[in-house]
Amino acid sequence: MSAHCQLTGTKPGFGNTISHSHRRTSRRFDPNIQKKRYWLPSEGRYVRLTLSARAIKTVDSIGIEAAVARIRARGVKV
């Protein structure tokens, strides 16, 4: 599963793990990505979205129709 959010565009961040001896090794900070299915009443179908946990809360507050409009405005196919 690709680690990016369809609504917010959140992607992994990169950095270093620093050990006790101060050696540095590369690591990834992945967003909390979930697959969630929503009913889209305007199209009479379900849509499965790949969202971060924060984006799921955003969908709960603004509604699925507005969220899908934002996703399409970013150029992502739904």
Side-chain angles (χ1 to χ4, degrees), residues 7 36 38 53-64 67:
L7 180 60
K36 192 147 171 64
Y38 289 99
R54 181 176 165 207
I56 291 172
K57 294 174 190 174
T58 302
V59 171
D60 290 343
S61 72
I62 68 171
I64 186 62

Side-chain angles (χ1 to χ4, degrees), residues 6-78:
Q6 288 181 311
L7 180 60
T8 61
T10 306
K11 293 180 182 176
F14 295 89
N16 291 309
T17 299
I18 303 178
S19 70
H20 179 69
S21 64
H22 216 66
R23 284 190 150 208
R24 294 166 188 243
T25 54
S26 296
R27 63 160 294 179
R28 270 170 59 136
F29 295 90
D30 285 328
N32 185 4
I33 297 294
Q34 310 290 328
K35 281 190 177 176
K36 192 147 171 64
R37 194 174 80 142
Y38 289 99
W39 174 251
L40 196 58
S42 63
E43 298 182 16
R45 68 184 180 106
Y46 284 99
V47 291
R48 187 176 301 276
L49 300 177
T50 305
L51 302 172
S52 63
R54 181 176 165 207
I56 291 172
K57 294 174 190 174
T58 302
V59 171
D60 290 343
S61 72
I62 68 171
I64 186 62
E65 298 288 344
V68 168
R70 281 189 194 180
I71 291 170
R72 289 183 173 147
R74 291 184 65 241
V76 178
K77 186 175 177 234
V78 177

